[in-house]
């Protein structure tokens, strides 16, 4: 039976029936009449000058329709891939922004850089022909590490940027921080690596281009988190197609995790080639190809110092980070290690002074951009590792030092020294609840039991705060964004009262079809089954900014809520006319418009019908129809936060770290769907644990080859790596979002890496260890144990 399903309920996800019954519609599933298939030749070298490219043999192979190189695109005036965010250095100069051709010309800058594109009748023919292209490479020395790239004499990724420095950026008050360090009773220091990650969503990227000569209309089907932004960037800057002549469709997308949040070369190449050939052209990424062509994440080297007084109170934080951008600037690359990183360094603490400098650096690696959490896990990792180091060095309990510095809930709104003002939160409450759920009291007993079996056991804690819900446009603009960051929603009420929502966000696993339907059901009293959520097609949906930065609910949901408000207001006007009452006397509740204090009422369905059959209708003052639209630009970020405990056991004989327990208490504001939020948190935690224990994008230092370029070498976490994860809410209400909601999509990845590594270090603390870099693989841990035992024996 159809019924209203409101906020706070956990119905089954609307979208899951088609997924679990194999009826999803992914780009790879789409077939167009006469469709051709494309394959890319990708550079096997990390850094090389391109000489002659002989495509004669490839072009003559069976089924081959065309072979294109970077020179062909250049000759046709195809532009470079634009960057969506421009930052400025501490000297006031803009970042270096070299061109990023969709297919390389002149030079290749990383293994996997596109060199040519073959179009053939079958994908096998296209792939065979790729092998027959003869390229003259003049191999150049490559540099893959950020530290090396800044050394004098390092190979220059760009001839005109000899120091490889894209931007030398800073935030905060350097003088205040220096003064804090002069007064400090103790300074804790750390040097750490935030390891490179490769997203690997379950569905690899794919794109189909099509051109209709009759209408001059181009269509791109793509695995994207933000089809409207792709339409804008590709149409305006790369292919010079007017917006109304370009349709971008992102149908079902099998996970993005940030990786599908950029405008990629392949999208432009298939769209361009389809128009050249007059036939649709499809490209589907192979898994191994994805390893060297999907944007990577993280890859920082950081030195940081924390100044404390004798009681363990924080006085100041100094952070120096080198951030790897790879061989080209990806769409949001420069924004991630700067604006999404430094403003989060205060965490949930009163930190009187912060200064963060970030050198953003080119190397001969795959471009680096946002990956779930994007900058915020990196900031949390620096801070929460440093707090543990300070606690160990000063002999203060790790929970006590945090409590001593936490922002009390009554101090909100809280202005940090690094731009952001937290509107609400209760970090102490989160920690209290997490401590209980994690049975911290029982830990000592569990440690003894592990020791009894010859194992080391450790307990790690990380608190965190996140800025999400990107973003207040004006603030983002002042920080270098090259576009607004509002969101849009249309509520289309049909004559029967059923509703179609057109929303500018994109659902690729987060359950929007369910949670957004819950919002509408709750607000309009419309049965859950009678509501459809439509996204991902620029021909259907008004301009929207898409899904990333855990923005869909707090920005998109807010637009939806406001559009629903407008529907209610119009409905009240119709009801006032029909019930012959003043507008002020009409109340809307539980799907009914009634005259306050009377039993005179009209159902939502009756009003919807009247809007489209306006016989008894105030036509003099009101247009027929019931469809409302809203664009919502947030006034601030939302600031979810929480406390995560990880408990690990280490086998000293093998170095294997086993995650024994994981407890997360998170403040995500009002919760629309508890089941979906729990799933988001669990998924995020699994990804964060993956970073902490398993995953690492490793490059060979001299050749620039990606050594972990397949699932044989890149270790994704698996279900049997996890205990049952305990997730519990501790919510405070966001003061500025319409429903009091905060984002939740990235929280798990933010708290977990530091919690796990803090647990690993805790287990190894008796050996004198104060830091372990990620990932804490058996090899790394075994070596640490062996070396520290040897050092202890030598003392
Ligand atoms: N939600 C809720 N109550 C809250 C907060 C959120 O019920 N207080 C619900 C939302 O309505 C939505 C889901 O939880 O259904 C996530 O909401 P939100 O925090 O708004 O995040 P987004 O929907 O914007 O998703 C983006 C975020 C990011 S940035 C990455 S990366 C990520 C993630 O979500 N990628 C994912 N979660 C993912 N989950 C899956 N399955 N696949 C991905 O690629």
């Amino acid at each position: 039976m159809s019924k209203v399903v409101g906020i706070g309920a956990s119905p089954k996800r609307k979208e899951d029936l088609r997924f679990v019954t194999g009826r999803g519609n992914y780009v790879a599933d789409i077939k167009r009449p006469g469709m051709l298939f494309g394959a890319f030749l990708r550079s096997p070298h990390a850094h090389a000058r391109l000489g002659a490219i002989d495509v004669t043999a490839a072009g003559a192979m069976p089924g081959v329709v065309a072979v294109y190189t970077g020179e062909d695109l250049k000759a046709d005036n195809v532009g470079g891939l634009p960057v969506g965010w421009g930052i400025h250095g501490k000297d006031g100069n803009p970042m270096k922004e070299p061109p990023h051709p969709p297919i390389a010309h002149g030079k290749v800058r990383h293994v996997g850089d596109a060199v040519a594109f073959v179009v053939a009748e079958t994908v096998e023919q296209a792939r065979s022909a790729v092998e027959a292209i003869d390229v003259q490479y003049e191999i150049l020395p490559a540099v893959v590490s950020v530290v090396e790239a800044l050394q004098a004499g390092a190979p220059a990724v760009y001839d005109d940027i000899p120091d490889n420095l894209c931007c030398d950026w800073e935030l905060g008050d350097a003088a205040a921080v220096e003064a804090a360090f002069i007064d400090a009773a103790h300074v804790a220091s750390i040097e750490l690596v935030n390891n490179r990650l490769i997203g690997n969503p379950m569905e690899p990227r794919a794109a189909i281009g099509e051109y209709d000569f009759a209408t001059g209309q181009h269509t791109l089907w793509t695995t994207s988190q933000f089809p409207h932004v792709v339409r804008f960037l590709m149409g305006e800057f790369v292919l010079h197609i007017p917006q109304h002549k370009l349709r971008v469709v992102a149908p079902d997308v099998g996970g993005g995790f940030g990786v599908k949040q950029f405008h990629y070369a392949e999208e432009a190449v298939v769209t361009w080639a389809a128009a050249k050939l007059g036939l649709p052209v499809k490209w589907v990424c192979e898994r191994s190809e994805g390893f060297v062509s999907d944007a990577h994440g993280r890859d920082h080297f950081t030195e940081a110092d924390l100044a404390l007084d004798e009681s363990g109170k924080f006085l100041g934080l100094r952070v120096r980070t080198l951030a790897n951008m790879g061989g080209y600037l990806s769409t949001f690359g420069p924004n991630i290690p700067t604006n999404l990183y430094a403003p989060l360094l205060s965490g949930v603490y009163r930190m009187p002074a912060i200064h963060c400098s970030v050198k953003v650096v080119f190397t001969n690696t795959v471009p680096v951009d946002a990956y779930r959490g994007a900058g915020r896990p990196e900031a949390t990792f620096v801070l929460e590792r440093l707090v543990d180091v300070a606690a160990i060095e000063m002999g203060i309990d790790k929970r006590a030092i945090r409590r001593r510095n936490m922002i009390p809930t009554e101090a909100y709104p809280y202005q940090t020294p690094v731009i952001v003002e937290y509107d609400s939160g209760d970090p102490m409450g989160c920690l209290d609840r997490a401590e209980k759920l994690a049975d911290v009291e029982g830990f000592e007993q569990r440690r003894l039991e592990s020791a009894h079996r010859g194992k080391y056991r450790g307990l790690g804690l990380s608190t965190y705060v996140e800025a999400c819900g990107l973003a207040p446009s004006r603030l983002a603009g002042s920080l270098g964004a090259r576009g607004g960051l509002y969101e849009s929603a249309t509520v289309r009420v049909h004559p029967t009262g059923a509703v179609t929502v057109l929303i500018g966000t994109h659902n690729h696993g987060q359950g929007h079809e369910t949670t957004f339907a819950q919002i509408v059901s709750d607000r309009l009293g419309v049965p859950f089954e009678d509501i459809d959520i439509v996204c991902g097609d620029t021909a259907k949906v008004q301009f929207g900014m898409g899904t990333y930065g855990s923005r869909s609910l707090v920005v998109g949901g807010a637009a939806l809520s406001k559009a629903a408000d407008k529907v209610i207001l119009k409905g009240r006007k119709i009801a006032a006319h029909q019930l012959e009452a003043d507008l002020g006397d009409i109340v809307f509740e539980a799907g009914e418009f009634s005259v306050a204090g009377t039993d005179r009422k009209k159902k939502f369905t009756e009003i919807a019908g009247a809007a489209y059959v306006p016989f008894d209708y105030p036509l003099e003052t009101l247009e027929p129809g019931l469809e409302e639209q809203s664009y919502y630009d947030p006034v601030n970020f939302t600031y979810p936060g929480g406390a995560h405990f990880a408990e690990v056991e280490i086998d000293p004989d093998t170095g294997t770290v086993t995650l024994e327990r994981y407890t997360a208490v998170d403040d995500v504001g009002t919760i629309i769907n508890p089941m979906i939020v729990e799933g988001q948190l669990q998924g995020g935690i699994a990804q964060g644990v993956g970073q902490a224990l398993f995953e690492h994008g490793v490059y060979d230092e001299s050749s620039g080859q990606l050594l972990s370029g397949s699932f044989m070498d890149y270790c994704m976490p698996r279900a049997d790596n996890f205990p049952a994860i305990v997730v519990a809410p501790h919510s405070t209400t966001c003061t500025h979002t319409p429903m009091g909601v905060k984002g939740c999509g990235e929280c798990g990845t933010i708290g977990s890496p530091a919690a796990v590594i803090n647990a690993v270090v805790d287990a190894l603390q008796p050996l004198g260890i104060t830091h372990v870099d990620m990932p804490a693989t058996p090899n790394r841990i075994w070596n640490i144990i062996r070396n520290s035992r040897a050092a202890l024996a030598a003392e």
Side-chain angles (χ1 to χ4, degrees):
M1 245 266 299
S2 284
K3 60 177 178 15
V4 169
V5 177
I7 290 173
S10 292
K12 281 191 183 144
R13 299 196 336 162
K14 267 177 179 273
E15 47 269 77
D16 283 350
L17 184 64
R18 72 173 184 277
F19 295 144
V20 298
T21 54
R23 292 185 177 89
N25 182 36
Y26 298 90
V27 175
D29 297 325
I30 293 170
K31 297 182 180 66
R32 302 298 301 163
M35 190 164 75
L36 301 170
F37 297 85
F40 285 89
L41 170 66
R42 296 189 180 275
S43 171
H45 305 294
H47 197 193
R49 236 173 265 290
L50 285 171
I53 303 178
D54 187 351
V55 301
T56 326
M61 285 181 67
V64 172
V65 177
V67 184
Y68 299 115
T69 66
E71 296 301 333
D72 295 319
L73 272 70
K74 192 174 167 190
D76 209 32
N77 198 27
V78 172
L81 301 176
V83 184
W85 205 292
I87 55 169
H88 282 72
K90 55 173 90 156
D91 55 7
N93 289 326
M95 67 183 189
K96 303 266 171 43
E97 198 173 340
H100 183 179
I103 298 183
H105 41 80
K107 246 188 180 191
V108 284
R109 293 187 170 82
H110 63 86
V111 171
D113 207 354
V115 175
F117 184 60
V118 176
V119 183
E121 285 161 13
T122 69
V123 70
E124 292 77 16
Q125 288 168 336
R127 285 179 188 160
S128 298
V130 158
E131 307 279 318
I133 300 172
D134 185 20
V135 184
Q136 304 293 313
Y137 293 103
E138 181 200 333
I139 300 169
L140 302 168
V143 63
V144 298
S145 116
V146 271
V147 179
E148 300 280 319
L150 292 174
Q151 304 289 316
V157 179
Y158 290 91
D159 296 348
D160 54 350
I161 310 175
D163 57 3
N164 291 318
L165 191 59
C166 168
C167 191
D168 189 359
W169 184 92
E170 70 173 349
L171 181 69
D173 186 340
V177 168
E178 290 320 310
F181 277 80
I182 290 167
D183 291 341
H186 183 80
V187 173
S189 298
I190 201 163
E191 194 180 287
L192 57 84
V193 171
N194 203 291
N195 43 327
R196 179 180 278 248
L197 300 178
I198 304 172
N200 284 308
M202 194 180 287
E203 178 209 23
R205 289 190 299 118
I208 304 170
E210 184 168 350
Y211 181 64
D212 182 344
F213 280 104
T215 59
Q217 182 80 26
H218 301 255
T219 303
L220 166 69
W221 286 265
T222 179
T223 49
S224 177
Q225 301 177 210
F226 61 171
H228 284 94
V229 181
V230 170
R231 182 180 70 174
F232 180 69
L233 296 177
M234 186 173 89
E236 267 311 277
F237 300 100
V238 189
L239 298 183
H240 317 295
I241 302 170
Q243 293 289 288
H244 65 296
K245 292 294 183 192
L246 176 57
R247 174 184 178 197
V248 178
V249 188
D252 284 331
V253 171
F257 309 110
V259 170
K260 295 172 181 165
Q261 183 206 330
F262 319 119
H263 172 35
Y264 280 100
E266 295 85 357
E267 296 171 322
V269 173
V270 295
T271 310
W272 176 81
K276 283 258 144 224
L277 299 169
L279 285 171
V281 177
K282 179 181 204 171
W283 165 80
V284 179
C285 192
E286 290 188 88
R287 180 61 69 183
S288 53
E289 187 181 12
F291 270 92
V292 294
S293 62
D294 291 358
H296 293 180
R298 320 281 198 254
D299 204 344
H300 287 191
F301 172 77
T302 294
E303 296 165 307
D305 312 291
L306 177 65
L308 304 100
D309 73 10
E310 62 288 341
S311 73
K313 272 199 142 179
F314 304 158
L315 301 175
L317 177 65
R318 185 169 53 202
V319 177
R320 296 170 301 283
T321 291
L322 310 181
N324 202 335
M325 282 290 101
Y328 300 96
L329 294 182
S330 174
T331 313
F332 297 116
N335 182 45
I336 309 303
T338 52
N339 292 313
L340 289 185
Y341 170 66
L344 276 303
L345 284 167
S346 193
V348 295
Y349 307 114
R350 290 183 191 273
M351 187 72 77
I354 297 175
H355 181 256
C356 177
S357 73
V358 182
K359 285 190 164 66
V360 180
V361 181
F362 291 112
T363 63
N364 294 115
T365 61
V366 171
V368 179
D369 207 319
Y371 170 76
R372 198 171 189 176
R376 293 148 292 175
E378 293 92 311
T380 303
F381 192 70
V382 171
L383 182 63
E384 290 292 313
R385 280 279 41 250
L386 206 41
V387 170
D388 258 26
V389 171
I392 295 168
E393 290 176 351
M394 296 182 76
I396 304 175
D397 176 82
K398 290 167 190 160
R399 281 169 288 142
I401 197 169
R402 286 178 167 85
R403 286 186 194 286
R404 204 162 294 169
N405 289 283
M406 263 179 188
I407 305 162
T409 188
E410 60 276 10
Y412 288 80
Y414 181 82
Q415 177 64 55
T416 70
V418 273
I419 305 178
V420 289
E421 185 189 78
Y422 309 146
D423 65 290
S424 58
D426 181 16
M428 206 82 82
C430 289
L431 180 53
D432 289 344
R433 180 141 201 234
E435 229 171 51
K436 284 199 188 77
L437 289 173
D439 184 25
V440 171
E441 267 188 17
F443 172 70
E444 216 31 64
Q445 184 56 34
R446 295 193 292 276
R447 194 206 285 268
L448 286 175
E449 280 162 17
S450 294
H452 201 64
R453 288 182 282 109
K455 306 278 167 63
Y456 302 146
R457 198 175 186 101
L459 178 69
L461 159 64
S462 174
T463 66
Y464 75 93
V465 68
E466 177 192 2
C468 70
L470 302 180
S473 292
R474 214 172 276 155
L475 173 62
S478 74
L479 298 175
R482 292 170 174 170
L485 283 161
Y486 49 81
E487 200 43 83
S488 68
T490 298
V491 174
R492 177 175 297 160
V493 182
H494 299 282
T496 56
V499 173
T500 301
V501 169
L502 309 167
I503 193 151
T505 51
H506 188 273
N507 185 23
H508 42 276
Q510 296 89 346
H512 296 169
E513 287 171 41
T514 304
T515 48
F516 291 164
Q518 283 179 253
I519 293 172
V520 174
S521 188
D522 192 271
R523 300 301 305 281
L524 301 183
V526 173
F528 184 63
E529 280 76 16
D530 294 352
I531 303 160
D532 265 356
I533 308 297
V534 175
C535 68
D537 185 344
T538 62
K540 293 182 183 162
V541 181
Q542 69 289 334
F543 196 92
M545 296 302 295
T547 286
Y548 43 89
S550 302
R551 67 191 305 275
S552 301
L553 177 61
V554 297
V555 192
L560 177 55
S561 168
K562 288 193 170 290
D565 284 344
K566 291 184 186 174
V567 166
I568 293 169
L569 178 60
K570 188 164 182 184
R572 284 177 56 227
K573 288 179 183 167
I574 302 167
H577 172 87
Q578 294 202 335
L579 296 168
E580 293 174 351
D582 283 342
L583 177 62
D585 291 334
I586 301 289
V587 287
F588 180 66
E589 221 178 84
E592 287 182 335
F593 297 90
S594 59
V595 183
T598 74
D599 59 359
R600 284 156 54 214
K601 56 178 73 162
K602 288 277 176 189
K603 290 195 175 70
F604 184 78
T605 46
E606 291 176 288
I607 294 299
Y612 291 94
V613 187
F615 297 157
D616 179 14
Y617 195 89
L619 281 168
E620 299 71 24
T621 53
L622 209 58
E623 293 172 8
L626 196 52
E627 171 168 328
E628 297 289 346
Q629 190 172 82
S630 192
Y631 282 74
Y632 176 77
D633 201 299
V635 297
N636 193 353
F637 297 98
T638 67
Y639 299 95
H644 289 200
F645 279 99
E647 203 169 310
V648 300
E649 193 176 75
I650 297 177
D651 181 342
D653 294 337
T654 62
T656 305
V657 179
T658 312
L659 185 65
E660 293 287 329
R661 298 164 73 104
Y662 199 98
T663 309
V665 171
D666 301 275
D667 173 1
V668 300
T670 307
I671 293 175
I672 305 299
N673 183 315
M675 176 193 72
I676 285 178
V677 168
E678 184 175 343
Q680 285 293 310
L681 288 163
Q682 299 232 8
I685 289 164
Q687 282 185 259
V689 172
Q691 168 164 32
L693 296 182
F694 308 110
E695 298 180 50
H696 197 184
V698 184
Y699 275 95
D700 180 73
E701 294 273 333
S702 57
S703 67
Q705 293 295 327
L706 179 64
L707 299 178
S708 51
S710 81
F711 285 144
M712 294 295 286
D713 310 291
Y714 188 89
C715 184
M716 297 292 277
R718 301 174 351 166
D720 63 357
N721 296 127
F722 293 91
I725 296 170
V726 177
V727 171
H730 178 80
S731 290
T732 59
T733 307
C734 177
T735 59
H736 58 82
T737 50
M739 293 162 283
V741 292
K742 305 180 187 183
C744 81
E746 293 160 287
C747 294
T749 47
I750 298 173
S752 51
V756 172
I757 294 299
N758 283 349
V760 170
V761 172
D762 187 55
L764 300 177
Q765 212 177 301
L767 299 175
I769 304 300
T770 55
H771 181 64
V772 171
D773 267 327
M774 299 187 288
T777 56
N779 178 34
R780 177 169 279 159
I781 298 299
W782 186 82
N783 276 304
I784 287 173
I785 293 172
R786 191 185 58 159
N787 295 341
S788 22
R789 277 177 175 169
L792 286 173
E795 271 176 13

